[in-house]
Each structure stands twice: as structure tokens, then as C-alpha cells.
């Protein structure tokens, strides 16, 4: 029944999934589905947990999470959890289930691996970036995020996710690095300016020679 529910919730909106259809898929009476799961909301929550358990990388050390999840974004397998979430977000009942399950399913396992202050907030930011990237890749089909560009995009995504997980001190170092970039850019622009001016001065001379 749970496997049938996964297939249904992953391919149709929450409103269109009926318990009787799930029962018919496995050849049982719909009353058995009610006895096993209680309600459609509870079955949806169970399906979300089951899909998440299959797809979540082994959480070992906080420092390696960015690499694990960046790697997990690419590959032939579709993100079943994302399909379930995206197809149901417009429904108030499903959205409430998602809100209640986001802590134990998405945020909590990440926060538990982190050291330092604001672990919960960093885990939330990590998941926000991960979901945004996943939606652009799988739902909208953004070309830059497809498997053909994995070699280029994977390290970039890993850096973004690592920044989300970094404690405050590390984030400040990254900010300082970014802040120092404009002067370097300005220096490169200054080097290029004499060349442009020289070319501009040379133009009238060439024009006069032609005359």
C-alpha cells in the first residue's frame, strides 16, 4: 500500500489521489488502507517519510554534507521526494503535513550534524538552497543543472551548500573575500583603459592618412 501511495502521490496532485485508487492498485479493500494508515493525510506523511529515507545520503560529518548532497543532485534517478512535495504544495492539507514533517525529515537530520551556534538556521538555509536548485533542475529543466554539465556545476553547488552550513566565522571570511574582489576588478579595468585610449587616439591618424 505504501509503495502504491508513493507512485500515486509522485504522479498526481494531492486532490487527485484517492484512497480507493491506492487500494485498487494493490487489490485490497479501501477499509484496509484506513485501518493501516488512518487517513489520507497520515498516508501522505508516511509516503513522504518513506521516499525521504530512500534518498537521503548517509549523514556522517557536517563537513562532508555539501559534497554528499551536491553529488546526490546528479544522476539518472528522479527525486521522488521532490515530485511528492511539488505536486502537493498548493493543497492546504498537504502543505500542513509538509510543514509538520519538514523538521524531522529535512531540517533536523542536517542540524544534528552541525557544531556551533545557529545550527537550526543553517540547516534551514541549506535545505532552502537545495530545494531551489532541485526545482530548477528537475521541475523547470534548467539546462545548466542537467547531468551533462555536472562536472562544472557540482563543485559550484557544493560551495554554495558549504557556505549555508558554515558557522558564522567562516561565513564572515567568505564575505571578506567577496568584499576584496571589487578593487581587484577595478585594477584590471585600469590596466585596460590605456589600451582603449591609445586605440581612440590612433583612429583620427588613420583616418587622416586615408584622406
Amino acid at each position: 500500500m505504501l509503495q502504491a501511495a508513493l507512485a500515486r502521490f509522485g504522479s498526481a496532485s494531492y486532490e487527485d489521489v484517492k484512497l480507493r485508487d491506492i487500494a485498487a492498485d494493490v487489490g485490497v479493500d479501501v477499509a484496509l488502507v484506513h485501518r493501516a494508515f488512518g487517513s489520507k493525510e497520515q498516508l501522505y506523511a508516511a509516503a513522504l517519510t518513506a521516499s525521504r529515507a530512500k534518498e537521503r545520503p548517509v549523514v556522517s560529518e557536517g563537513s562532508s554534507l555539501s559534497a554528499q548532497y551536491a553529488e546526490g543532485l546528479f544522476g539518472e534517478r528522479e527525486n521522488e521526494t521532490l515530485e511528492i512535495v511539488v505536486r502537493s504544495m498548493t493543497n492546504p492539507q498537504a502543505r500542513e503535513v509538509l510543514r509538520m514533517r519538514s523538521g524531522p525529515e529535512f531540517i533536523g537530520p542536517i542540524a544534528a550534524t552541525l557544531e556551533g551556534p545557529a545550527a537550526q538556521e543553517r540547516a534551514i538555509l541549506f535545505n532552502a538552497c537545495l530545494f531551489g536548485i532541485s526545482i530548477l533542475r528537475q521541475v523547470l529543466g534548467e539546462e545548466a543543472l542537467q547531468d551533462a554539465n555536472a562536472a562544472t556545476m557540482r563543485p559550484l553547488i557544493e560551495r554554495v551548500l558549504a557556505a549555508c552550513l558554515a558557522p558564522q566565522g567562516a561565513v564572515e571570511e567568505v564575505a571578506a573575500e567577496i568584499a576584496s574582489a571589487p578593487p581587484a576588478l577595478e585594477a584590471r579595468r585600469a590596466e585596460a583603459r590605456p589600451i582603449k585610449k591609445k586605440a581612440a587616439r590612433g583612429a583620427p591618424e588613420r583616418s587622416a592618412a586615408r584622406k
Side-chain angles (χ1 to χ4, degrees):
M1 286 186 285
L2 189 55
Q3 290 303 314
L6 283 167
R8 288 278 179 177
F9 284 122
S11 59
S13 66
Y14 184 86
E15 295 89 344
D16 291 339
V17 174
K18 310 298 181 186
L19 294 186
R20 63 175 177 272
D21 294 331
I22 293 172
D25 288 342
V26 292
V28 299
D29 191 275
V30 69
L32 184 59
V33 180
H34 282 286
R35 283 200 296 272
F37 294 98
S39 67
K40 182 176 174 178
E41 291 92 335
Q42 289 171 304
L43 178 54
Y44 179 76
L48 185 66
T49 298
S51 68
R52 187 66 178 147
K54 290 191 296 182
E55 295 174 346
R56 184 165 51 215
V58 176
V59 177
S60 53
E61 300 176 7
S63 60
S64 67
L65 285 179
S66 56
Q68 291 180 50
Y69 276 84
E71 179 70 26
L73 278 170
F74 296 94
E76 294 181 0
R77 193 175 187 280
E78 293 293 318
N79 189 328
E80 186 178 52
T81 303
L82 184 67
E83 292 284 355
I84 292 172
V85 170
V86 169
R87 292 180 183 278
S88 304
M89 288 184 71
T90 58
N91 181 272
Q93 291 174 311
R95 197 161 56 240
E96 181 61 18
V97 174
L98 289 170
R99 188 184 69 80
M100 296 296 293
R101 299 305 301 167
S102 64
E105 299 299 341
F106 301 101
I107 300 167
I110 302 300
T113 69
L114 303 178
E115 297 179 355
Q120 185 84 352
E121 290 77 4
R122 288 149 57 198
I124 290 171
L125 186 59
F126 176 88
N127 276 284
C129 287
L130 193 63
F131 265 105
I133 293 168
S134 297
I135 287 172
L136 282 171
R137 168 180 155 79
Q138 187 168 321
V139 179
L140 302 182
E142 175 58 50
E143 184 178 353
L145 295 170
Q146 301 310 307
D147 290 349
N149 298 305
T152 301
M153 295 303 294
R154 188 187 295 117
L156 296 177
I157 292 170
E158 183 178 340
R159 284 165 56 190
V160 170
L161 296 179
C164 293
L165 296 175
Q168 186 175 352
V171 173
E172 288 171 351
E173 287 177 13
V174 173
E177 231 175 86
I178 294 171
S180 67
L185 179 60
E186 184 58 33
R188 288 196 296 272
R189 286 175 178 168
E191 289 174 4
R193 283 190 192 113
I195 299 173
K196 291 180 180 177
K197 289 178 181 177
K198 186 175 180 181
R201 284 196 301 269
E205 293 174 6
R206 287 194 299 273
S207 178
R210 282 198 298 270
K211 287 179 182 178

